[in-house]
Amino acid sequence: MKQTPAKSAAVKKAVADKAVAKKAVAKKAVTAKDAEAKKAAVAKAPAAKKAAAKKAAPAGKASAKKAAAKKSPARKPESRVAMVRRARRINRELAELYPYAHPELDFTNPFELLVATVLSAQTTDLRVNQTTPRLFALCPTPEDMAAMDPERLEELIRPTGFFRAKAKSLLGLSTALRDRFGGEVPGRLEDLVTLPGVGRKTANVVLGNAFGVPGITVDTHFGRLVRRFGWTTQEDPEKVEAEIAEIFPKSDWTMLSHRVVFHGRRVCHSRKPACGACPIAPLCPAYGEGETDPEKAKKLLKYELGGQPGQRLKPPADYPGQPAPPMAAP
């Protein structure tokens, strides 16, 4: 049957309306789906943001140090050969800085040096030097000291601290020198260390400075500096001595000890090194542990470098500083 024009138009319109309706339903479904997805994304955002922040933030000091380490590349490990060369260069630089380096205990013979070194434990060389003039005036020889009344000896050395233990050592070593060595201080390490109160450090001081026998003196200053310089990591004095002895020729040992100790007392202090005023700073791996500002560091210098008196009442003739004052009268 043939459709009339009106009917044909109505059919076309119905088909078109149906298509539009279908399209609208589909669009609505898509919009609803998008809205649901958007809602889920919004809900997840805070958790994701929190996770990202947690990942980005350093976890405590350890993470902060790790992050800093990534920023600055690690220092290239130093070979043994390079360390030895650097160590010997430091020794040469210290020799130029302290051409007048010397033992900072006043003495005129091996016995006086031995006694002064025993007294120097746990106190300053200055305090010992202020104490020994009266002591040596009364006890110039081992025989005189061995005969000294213990209480009188304790009273004489009281300013150096630990006076009872030190008096016991002095009486013991003086008696041993009188009875076993004919009143003379022996010039061999194996003999010296048999004396009461005398260890390797004291023996090396006496051998190097009274007998000219090379020795390395590992006191607190020496041990601190050689570890800062990266020459050793040892803490035990005998192990430190052994390792440093392998770096330097034997002929350098005694003066090396004086130079390092001088530097430790004047510049490279225990608590606050004067890094900014240190001539060997470019050679020191510990640079920066102390004050790096040159003007502030200069104020930390001690003894002759700081314009202050030294430790000896009778310093060597080439010492550029002022002598120490004697002990004030009680």
Side-chain angles (χ1 to χ4, degrees):
M1 185 187 301
K2 191 175 180 181
Q3 291 181 340
T4 64
K7 191 174 181 180
S8 176
V11 170
K12 285 181 179 180
K13 185 180 180 183
V15 171
D17 289 345
K18 189 175 181 181
V20 169
K22 191 175 181 182
K23 192 174 181 180
V25 170
K27 187 176 181 180
K28 188 174 181 182
V30 171
T31 304
K33 191 175 180 181
D34 287 346
E36 189 176 341
K38 190 174 181 181
K39 187 176 180 182
V42 169
K44 287 180 180 179
K49 190 175 181 181
K50 189 175 181 181
K54 188 176 181 182
K55 188 177 181 181
K61 284 186 177 180
S63 298
K65 285 182 180 178
K66 193 180 284 185
K70 285 182 180 178
K71 285 184 180 180
S72 56
R75 181 178 292 179
K76 188 179 178 181
E78 186 178 39
S79 69
R80 168 75 180 179
V81 172
M83 184 275 287
V84 170
R85 286 176 180 166
R86 182 173 58 82
R88 293 183 178 183
R89 185 178 170 190
I90 287 176
N91 184 36
R92 292 193 297 272
E93 296 280 345
L94 291 177
E96 290 184 16
L97 182 60
Y98 307 111
Y100 51 87
H102 57 268
E104 294 190 272
L105 290 169
D106 286 327
F107 69 98
T108 61
N109 57 56
F111 176 64
E112 289 185 356
L113 179 57
L114 177 60
V115 170
T117 306
V118 170
L119 291 176
S120 70
Q122 304 297 317
T123 190
T124 64
D125 286 357
L126 171 60
R127 181 59 68 186
V128 174
N129 292 335
Q130 291 174 328
T131 302
T132 51
R134 287 180 64 205
L135 176 65
F136 294 149
L138 292 172
C139 309
T141 68
E143 291 83 358
D144 294 322
M145 190 167 288
M148 174 68 71
D149 176 68
E151 290 186 3
R152 175 63 172 147
L153 182 58
E154 289 176 4
E155 190 60 33
L156 285 169
I157 65 172
R158 180 185 289 270
T160 67
F162 301 96
F163 57 91
R164 289 192 179 88
K166 290 179 180 179
K168 185 178 179 181
S169 294
L170 293 183
L171 289 171
L173 70 85
S174 297
T175 301
L177 291 176
R178 181 194 64 192
D179 297 345
R180 293 196 282 123
F181 297 100
E184 299 292 333
V185 175
R188 300 194 314 160
L189 186 141
E190 52 266 41
D191 292 329
L192 284 168
V193 295
T194 66
L195 300 173
V198 178
R200 286 187 67 90
K201 185 193 87 168
T202 298
N204 280 329
V205 170
V206 173
L207 290 173
N209 298 287
F211 293 99
V213 177
I216 295 173
T217 303
V218 184
D219 68 357
T220 54
H221 301 288
F222 189 92
R224 178 177 74 251
L225 265 66
V226 295
R227 284 187 286 273
R228 280 182 177 168
F229 291 161
W231 298 353
T232 182
T233 58
Q234 299 292 342
E235 296 284 342
D236 179 79
E238 289 194 25
K239 291 180 179 178
V240 170
E241 180 186 340
E243 290 200 359
I244 303 306
E246 292 179 358
I247 298 173
F248 297 93
K250 196 171 184 178
S251 58
D252 285 353
W253 290 355
T254 299
M255 287 311 299
L256 170 73
S257 299
H258 291 323
R259 292 165 190 154
V260 172
V261 171
F262 253 56
H263 197 62
R265 288 174 173 170
R266 287 152 177 78
V267 180
C268 196
H269 313 305
S270 177
R271 294 185 182 177
K272 199 171 185 182
C275 294
C278 180
I280 62 168
L283 299 171
C284 181
Y287 174 78
E289 285 188 14
E291 180 58 65
T292 56
D293 181 86
E295 291 304 315
K296 292 180 180 178
K298 196 179 293 184
K299 295 177 182 177
L300 299 174
L301 300 178
K302 293 184 178 179
Y303 301 114
E304 74 283 355
L305 296 187
Q308 304 151 6
Q311 296 206 82
R312 292 187 70 165
L313 277 64
K314 298 177 181 179
D318 62 345
Y319 181 65
Q322 310 165 47
M327 186 179 293

